[in-house]
Amino acid sequence: MMHRHAAVLLSAVITSLVTAPALAQSSFNQASALDAQLNAEEARLAPQRAMYLRYFQQAYRRYPSIPAGTLEAMAYVQSRWSNLQPAATQDSEHLRMPPSWGVMGLYAGGGFANQVEEGARLLGVNAEAVRRQPATNILAAAALLDAQIRQDIPAAASTAPSAEAIRPALMRYAGFAPAATVATLKAGSIEDYARTSFAYDVLLAQDRGINDRGIVVPERAIAWEEAFDAPRLVMLRAPMVRLDVARDRVETEAFRIDPVSETLQTRSATPVGPLTDATIQSTDYGPAIWSAASTSNYSASRSAAISAVTVHTTQGSYAGTISWFKNASAQVSAHYVIRSSDGQVTQMVRDAHTAWHVGSQNSYTLGIEHEGFVDNSSWYTNAMYEASAALVRNFCAKYSAISCTSAYSGAASSGINVLPTSVKIKGHQHYSGQTHTDPGINWNWSKYYSLINPGSGGGTTTFLDRFESSVGHFDTSPSYSGSTTGISTASTTTRDCTTQKNGSCSLRVLLKDDTANSAAWEVRLLSSSGTPASNTALNRNNGVLGFWVWSGGSGTSVGVGIDDSDGTERSTSRSIAANVWTYVSWPLSDTAQWNAWVGGNGSITASSVKLDAIWIYHANTAYDLNVYIDDVQIGN
């Protein structure tokens, strides 16, 4: 991000918007390119992350005061298990925020604490080793945290306390102020919220557990009421933004957002109590927390009407960015900051004021900072995209000069790529006179466009199950129903976050042969235990039901079953290739696609139907077969 005085004129490359007829093909090409890019990134990071697991265990043995799982969670929060080397990282000076180093994201002064030097002192090693060597970097972070823990719990030198008990130590460890300042910090100070957010993020990673592309944070239930008092919990947890596509609404923990007016509404008739007082809520955008930036870092007025949105990547953590915007010497800010893990939104500059985020373009733009680093795609989660898109849709509704359909939807790039002024929603790298290239090569503009403009593919898409937080409707064993043949009762369905087509997770179906049965496999993967009333109603009008599927063995076919008004209809089957994601679909209005199964007539006649099951077919075999399913959806 450029501060208000930065302006280096670069030669502009004008890129036209993707036209409507080419949008589908362009989206496919972009998705293929991103898939290849992510696979290469995964291959590069996998062996490094395997080593980090060993280094964490070494650190726990040396510092038994630290609860198991804490170091892994800290590394996840600060770097997503990437060995940060700012000098070699693109946009290393983005936000002019002090850079962080190594797997643990340690700061080295420049306005924040000098964790690198202090960690090196505690270990008796050279500071350069802390910056460059992952094992030493992890040990330095462990030494720093150990010192903070033993301030509160002297007995922890030999026995680890609970994860909740070290929350104060985590807040002091965070590094958002020089060490001499930490002792003077008080609740409600400008540092308190950022430090609280850091501690919360570390505990949240453990509470949820992480198992993603070699990153492993052991899951452990966190007793939140033991870690934070009630007002802090409300501040930290209530504004989590989610999209409930099936009900066409955006939700938060304590509230829901009306999708038409984009206004915050309580979930019940109970008045908002003192612990959810609006003083911690943004008045510009209800789901956001309000946490003001330093008045030294923005202008309390605008010289032009709001007419554009700038998308940024922070090149740092959510909590670190919030803290930096509160630092009077930063001379930089943005209107909103979005957390990767759950899409929490913090507003730091009022919409009506001028944040300093995109140089000479500040006067008319709204800036959104997204937690993460441009060269690591792990930060760009579904929750982040959805929360950001909800915020942008709110802008489109409020400001007539911003049209959601004017958002950029082309390919991601790693350099400066100036777009016309008619493109109102675009990245920092798309403006003239810039030097920074965020959000960069890993930001999925096509996906972002479709979230900002629901139904932009020529209709509306309703996702029935995306498997990002649970198995959704598919909560029954694949061998449950009597209609299933050929497989063992040991077969399972589980949510899996190591293999997926979109987002972070998919549904893994593990099929095991029934050795006492030689029949071909016919598996009825029931939706909502086969209870139609528990399923989402699907609009048959021009409806096409489909999902992504991957099979670990050749010879696999799939289909679906639909509960119609006069029985259950079963679709024709679709053969799928092995070891590749395939999209399969069936039009609900084409009778040639449907056969009678239970009390049905072989055609779908009701205006509204329910998904009964996904069917999986395979010849009888003795080996296990893994089938993955993702993004079960209907388009109209």
Side-chain angles (χ1 to χ4, degrees):
M1 171 179 296
M2 294 183 65
H3 65 91
R4 57 174 173 170
H5 302 301
V8 178
L9 185 61
L10 299 176
S11 58
V13 179
I14 305 301
T15 301
S16 299
L17 282 173
V18 178
T19 59
L23 183 59
Q25 183 61 44
S26 174
S27 297
F28 175 81
N29 292 339
Q30 292 169 41
S32 298
L34 277 174
D35 283 346
Q37 188 174 298
L38 296 181
N39 288 337
E41 178 185 285
E42 182 174 352
R44 174 177 60 84
L45 291 175
Q48 299 174 26
R49 288 170 172 169
M51 288 190 300
Y52 300 159
L53 286 168
R54 296 198 297 272
Y55 299 157
F56 289 130
Q57 295 309 311
Q58 292 170 7
Y60 286 125
R61 288 193 292 270
R62 184 163 174 175
Y63 297 99
S65 65
I66 302 175
T70 303
L71 295 174
E72 294 94 324
M74 290 163 61
Y76 178 77
V77 167
Q78 287 295 91
S79 77
R80 292 301 191 266
W81 287 33
S82 181
N83 186 24
L84 302 176
Q85 298 296 306
T89 301
Q90 187 179 19
D91 276 357
S92 61
E93 295 183 357
H94 183 74
L95 296 182
R96 299 175 64 246
M97 187 164 67
S100 49
W101 293 84
V103 185
M104 304 306 289
L106 299 180
Y107 299 113
F112 282 175
N114 197 330
Q115 296 174 311
V116 168
E117 292 284 353
E118 178 61 15
R121 185 189 66 79
L122 291 173
L123 293 179
V125 300
N126 188 288
E128 191 67 6
V130 174
R131 287 188 178 92
R132 305 294 183 187
Q133 299 172 7
T136 308
N137 186 269
I138 290 170
L139 282 175
L144 290 166
L145 181 59
D146 170 74
Q148 295 298 333
I149 291 172
R150 288 191 285 114
Q151 280 189 34
D152 302 325
I153 313 169
S158 58
T159 305
S162 68
E164 297 84 356
I166 70 166
R167 187 268 303 166
L170 286 169
M171 290 180 64
R172 291 194 302 271
Y173 165 93
F176 302 145
T181 308
V182 174
T184 66
L185 295 179
K186 298 179 180 179
S189 69
I190 64 171
E191 292 293 341
D192 183 65
Y193 171 60
R195 289 174 177 276
T196 302
S197 294
F198 171 78
Y200 175 76
D201 283 349
V202 172
L203 294 177
L204 181 66
Q206 295 175 78
D207 190 57
R208 291 181 168 182
I210 309 294
N211 191 339
D212 178 33
R213 293 187 289 181
I215 300 174
V216 180
V217 179
E219 182 178 345
R220 65 185 302 167
I222 297 297
W224 291 104
E225 69 283 359
E226 294 179 13
F228 299 97
D229 59 23
R232 275 180 169 164
L233 275 182
V234 170
M235 177 180 67
L236 290 164
R237 304 179 80 180
M240 291 184 186
V241 177
R242 293 187 298 270
L243 291 185
D244 184 342
V245 180
R247 295 180 177 84
D248 191 27
R249 67 187 187 188
V250 186
E251 295 185 338
T252 65
E253 288 292 307
F255 310 98
R256 64 178 295 272
I257 306 163
D258 182 79
V260 177
S261 66
E262 299 281 3
T263 57
L264 195 69
Q265 300 177 355
T266 58
R267 283 185 175 276
S268 66
T270 305
V272 177
L275 295 182
T276 53
D277 188 271
T279 55
I280 65 168
Q281 298 294 136
S282 160
T283 56
D284 285 327
Y285 181 59
I289 296 172
W290 168 247
S291 184
S294 167
T295 55
S296 299
N297 296 334
Y298 66 92
S299 303
S301 63
R302 278 192 183 273
S303 60
I306 295 170
S307 61
V309 178
T310 308
V311 175
H312 300 277
T313 297
T314 61
Q315 289 299 100
S317 70
Y318 175 74
T321 301
I322 291 168
S323 178
W324 188 237
F325 287 173
K326 290 176 173 291
N327 187 317
S329 66
Q331 296 290 284
V332 68
S333 61
H335 294 89
Y336 298 87
V337 186
I338 300 182
R339 184 160 63 192
S340 169
S341 61
D342 56 14
Q344 186 184 76
V345 182
T346 289
Q347 183 181 14
M348 304 198 70
V349 178
R350 298 293 186 197
D351 288 6
H353 296 165
T354 304
W356 300 341
H357 62 108
V358 65
S360 60
Q361 323 287 343
N362 287 332
S363 62
Y364 63 90
T365 61
L366 291 163
I368 308 174
E369 285 286 351
H370 298 84
E371 179 186 28
F373 293 83
V374 296
D375 60 349
N376 187 337
S377 64
S378 299
W379 295 93
Y380 300 136
T381 62
N382 276 348
M384 174 180 278
Y385 278 118
E386 290 169 347
S388 183
L391 175 59
V392 172
R393 284 182 16 235
N394 177 265
F395 294 156
C396 294
K398 287 168 60 177
Y399 305 110
S400 59
I402 302 175
S403 167
C404 278
T405 57
S406 71
Y408 178 60
S409 60
S413 62
S414 58
I416 302 295
N417 179 21
V418 179
L419 297 177
T421 55
S422 57
V423 184
K424 300 294 187 179
I425 302 162
K426 55 192 175 186
H428 192 166
Q429 66 193 118
H430 296 142
Y431 288 86
S432 61
Q434 307 301 316
T435 58
H436 295 298
T437 57
D438 56 303
I441 193 65
N442 287 307
W443 184 263
N444 191 332
W445 285 105
S446 176
K447 174 178 182 174
Y448 195 49
Y449 184 94
S450 67
L451 289 170
I452 295 170
N453 297 279
S456 56
T460 59
T461 299
T462 300
F463 290 96
L464 309 179
D465 293 280
R466 305 194 77 171
F467 312 111
E468 294 304 297
S469 59
S470 69
V471 296
H473 293 89
F474 297 94
D475 53 2
T476 303
S477 164
S479 60
Y480 175 82
S481 171
S483 57
T484 293
T485 58
I487 63 168
S488 162
T489 56
S491 301
T492 60
T493 53
T494 55
R495 174 171 165 264
D496 186 277
C497 297
T498 59
T499 302
Q500 66 284 321
K501 171 57 184 173
N502 298 309
S504 301
C505 306
S506 66
L507 185 72
R508 178 194 181 198
V509 186
L510 171 60
L511 301 180
K512 291 179 171 290
D513 185 48
D514 178 2
T515 57
N517 191 325
S518 60
W521 295 356
E522 292 189 6
V523 179
R524 185 183 177 213
L525 188 63
L526 289 169
S527 176
S528 290
S529 303
T531 306
S534 299
N535 277 292
T536 304
L538 311 177
N539 179 10
R540 185 178 64 87
N541 184 36
N542 295 320
V544 179
L545 179 67
F547 56 92
W548 288 93
V549 59
W550 184 100
S551 174
S554 59
T556 306
S557 299
V558 293
V560 290
I562 289 292
D563 279 294
D564 194 10
S565 58
D566 51 4
T568 300
E569 321 299 339
R570 186 162 57 168
S571 74
T572 55
S573 62
R574 299 273 191 270
S575 297
I576 60 173
N579 303 314
V580 63
W581 282 99
T582 303
Y583 187 75
V584 291
S585 64
W586 296 265
L588 295 175
S589 57
D590 184 357
T591 56
Q593 302 290 323
W594 302 93
N595 302 303
W597 184 54
V598 178
N601 58 13
S603 63
I604 299 176
T605 55
S607 61
S608 179
V609 298
K610 302 286 183 72
L611 177 65
D612 170 71
I614 288 175
W615 285 85
I616 303 172
Y617 309 96
H618 196 280
N620 185 279
T621 182
Y623 60 78
D624 294 346
L625 177 67
N626 277 297
V627 177
Y628 294 86
I629 294 167
D630 204 358
D631 283 5
V632 182
Q633 60 194 269
I634 184 171
N636 293 94

